[in-house]
Amino acid sequence: MTTDNKAIVQAAWRAFASHEAEQIAAFFTADAEWLAPAGNATAVALDAPSHMIGRQAITHFLAHEFPRLFTSDVVVDFRGFYADGDRVIVEERG
């Protein structure tokens, strides 16, 4: 059986949009790392780190902190999901 990386990333983004911690956590290993550019607008606005380590920290951020910046009715317009081997790029507009 092969893993369809594009399908996994699409499912992960749906879980992120749900803001349901249990759904989000399923996409991360216990030692996962979330690395964003230092000083990015989201981290600055939320006074959050740009580098998070561990399923619990990442899940908490996506389920509880990130939604503080956006109203619940924000629609994410996915422009495309592009896959090449084990790399997937998500193009979106919010």
Side-chain angles (χ1 to χ4, degrees):
M1 183 171 120
T2 61
T3 302
D4 183 351
N5 292 326
K6 187 174 165 182
I8 291 169
V9 171
Q10 288 172 323
W13 279 92
R14 284 192 298 274
F16 300 166
S18 77
H19 304 296
E20 295 292 329
E22 188 172 303
Q23 288 183 41
I24 294 167
F27 287 93
F28 296 99
T29 61
D31 62 347
E33 293 190 40
W34 183 282
L35 184 59
N40 71 79
T42 302
V44 170
L46 293 173
D47 193 27
S50 59
H51 185 196
M52 292 172 272
I53 300 173
R55 175 189 297 131
Q56 184 176 3
I58 298 166
T59 298
H60 177 79
F61 174 75
L62 292 172
H64 303 290
E65 299 300 324
F66 193 77
R68 291 179 23 213
L69 288 181
F70 303 98
T71 60
S72 61
D73 62 351
V74 169
V75 174
V76 176
D77 178 18
F78 291 107
R79 300 298 176 110
F81 285 85
Y82 312 98
D84 185 9
D86 65 349
R87 295 180 187 263
V88 180
I89 297 168
V90 179
E91 182 182 3
E92 66 175 72
R93 184 177 296 180

